[in-house]
Amino acid sequence: VFDEVDRRWAHAALADGAESDEERARHLGRATTTPDEAIAAALESAAVVARQRGALAVSAQLLVESAELTPVVDDDRRGRRLLDAGHSCFAAGDIDKARSLFQTLVTAFPESAIRVEARWRLGTVLDETGDVAGAIRLWQEALAATDDRRLTSIIERGLPYSTMYTEGLDAAARHAEAAVTSAESCGDSGALAFALAASAIVAVLQGSPDYEALLERALRLDSGLDVLGEWCPVEVSAECGRLTGEIVRTRTLYEAVLSRAAETGETGSEQWAAFGLTSTELLAGRLGRARELLGTVLDLTDQTGLMQIPGAGLAVNVAAHAGDLDEARTLARETIANARDAHEHMYELNLLHGLGFIEASAGDHT
């Protein structure tokens, strides 16, 4: 029977004969229990390769192992690796692991840029799993703790999507404008593209034609699908198209995001694109396709815990369009209560409007 020393020796021998850098790094990591930056760096490089091929869960595990072998004197490097591991976990849909990693950084690391970013990322996890108040609190703490204009822009651009549901569109617009101002002041074109996209989605919800110029400018800076999630410009372009009824263009964009997300293993973006495409297909009268896509949304909600209220609201909409009024009515009332408890006022309002549509369809116009 192998003891721990024998296992480490065996992994060291296997590392010598490994056929890939990733396999070699894995065995090296298991061959030692003491911090070693060379091995930690090899694991980090292997994680990058794994992420590029869409193996986000593998990438996250390699990064955790890399952080564990990072010398304790290098807190920044260890923290960065844990942040990247949490990001990979979140993108892959392992929400509990992502929350745990970010929480460790927020509570156990000294005040630094790493801790500020961990607050932002932990806030994103809380926001996506229904704790909007907790998310906003963390984001405000992060803003108060940094003077980094790029990071400020990143945090500010996330706030509109939460505050529009809790405080209204005027508050959302202020955060979007602050994101643009911070991005312009730091000269980061990527941050500016995403900030402009945030402003565009707020503008379209306000009924302002300014969204077209904002979106056009954002897409000039970043028109690709290399960076998904957190409302990249292409995703925002799809959402604006849905909200303004441009069904053909919107379908094309959502399908592109959905395909890319499935290819890269980014569960959150896959769910988001399926959600938007479901709504688009309802507008187009394609109920069968809408039901199919709704199944994807709800399956991913069960797996990750993400988009619980939006997913339930979408199910109400699909049921109502299908004429399943009793089912739609029951689900709408349950989801209205959940949205009220979560202080998601815009979702509550939208669901009340949907419930009115259901009752009118059933012949009750009172």
Side-chain angles (χ1 to χ4, degrees):
V1 178
F2 274 18
D3 61 16
E4 192 59 36
V5 173
D6 291 329
R7 286 191 181 89
R8 290 200 297 272
W9 179 88
H11 280 298
L14 289 167
D16 287 338
E19 296 182 356
S20 70
D21 290 342
E22 182 180 325
E23 183 184 355
R24 178 175 179 274
R26 282 178 171 278
H27 286 304
L28 285 174
R30 287 160 175 75
T32 184
T33 58
T34 57
D36 186 313
E37 177 53 31
I39 296 176
L43 285 162
E44 183 178 27
S45 296
V48 172
V49 173
R51 183 177 179 87
Q52 288 171 343
R53 71 166 192 270
L56 296 180
V58 172
S59 176
Q61 182 56 41
L62 290 168
L63 284 163
V64 170
E65 292 173 13
S66 173
E68 289 171 348
L69 291 175
T70 303
V72 293
V73 295
D74 199 346
D75 260 354
D76 282 352
R77 185 170 293 175
R78 179 169 173 266
R80 176 55 55 189
R81 287 165 175 164
L82 287 173
L83 276 173
D84 289 345
H87 178 60
S88 287
C89 285
F90 184 74
D94 190 347
I95 306 306
D96 290 341
K97 182 64 173 177
R99 182 189 289 108
S100 175
L101 288 167
F102 296 143
Q103 187 66 59
T104 295
L105 289 165
V106 168
T107 57
F109 264 62
E111 192 60 69
S112 63
I114 295 293
R115 193 173 180 185
V116 170
E117 186 169 339
R119 287 194 188 100
W120 160 51
R121 292 195 178 277
L122 179 58
T124 300
V125 173
L126 296 183
D127 180 58
E128 293 289 350
T129 53
D131 185 1
V132 179
I136 291 174
R137 182 175 63 254
L138 277 167
W139 289 332
Q140 296 290 5
E141 288 175 3
L143 287 172
T146 187
D147 57 4
D148 182 317
R149 303 307 293 167
R150 178 180 179 276
L151 188 52
T152 296
S153 178
I154 290 171
I155 297 167
E156 288 281 14
R157 81 183 185 217
L159 277 161
Y161 309 115
S162 297
T163 53
M164 73 171 64
Y165 292 113
T166 56
E167 299 176 39
L169 288 171
D170 288 345
R174 288 194 296 273
H175 287 297
E177 290 165 7
V180 171
T181 299
S182 293
E184 288 176 331
S185 70
C186 74
D188 187 308
S189 61
L192 180 57
F194 277 64
L196 289 165
S199 290
I201 194 67
V202 174
V204 79
L205 288 168
Q206 289 177 315
S208 169
D210 293 346
Y211 84 90
E212 293 178 329
L214 291 164
L215 192 54
E216 181 181 348
R217 188 179 170 199
L219 288 168
R220 280 202 305 269
L221 293 167
D222 184 351
S223 60
L225 289 170
D226 292 334
V227 182
L228 294 177
E230 299 160 5
W231 295 86
C232 73
V234 173
E235 292 185 0
V236 169
S237 182
E239 184 70 358
C240 287
R242 181 180 71 85
L243 292 169
T244 55
E246 301 173 62
I247 292 175
V248 175
R249 182 178 71 86
T250 298
R251 181 186 291 126
T252 299
L253 290 169
Y254 276 131
E255 291 281 15
V257 174
L258 188 62
S259 175
R260 178 60 175 164
E263 176 187 330
T264 59
E266 301 201 40
T267 303
S269 289
E270 181 183 1
Q271 185 182 29
W272 179 89
F275 179 95
L277 194 52
T278 304
S279 299
T280 302
E281 298 298 15
L282 282 179
L283 290 173
R286 296 171 62 176
L287 185 59
R289 177 61 171 151
R291 278 176 161 160
E292 177 186 338
L293 290 159
L294 174 64
T296 298
V297 174
L298 297 181
D299 284 347
L300 291 173
T301 293
D302 288 341
Q303 293 173 32
T304 66
L306 299 177
M307 295 185 72
Q308 293 183 15
I309 292 173
L314 186 62
V316 170
N317 205 7
V318 170
H321 278 77
D324 301 327
L325 299 185
D326 289 340
E327 177 186 346
R329 182 186 294 110
T330 299
L331 186 55
R333 288 171 176 164
E334 290 174 358
T335 311
I336 287 166
N338 291 336
R340 186 176 295 133
D341 289 343
H343 306 290
E344 299 252 14
H345 303 309
M346 188 173 288
Y347 274 123
E348 181 185 354
L349 182 62
N350 288 342
L351 285 158
L352 285 167
H353 181 271
L355 185 57
F357 169 77
I358 292 164
E359 298 300 358
S361 299
D364 183 356
H365 301 282
T366 61

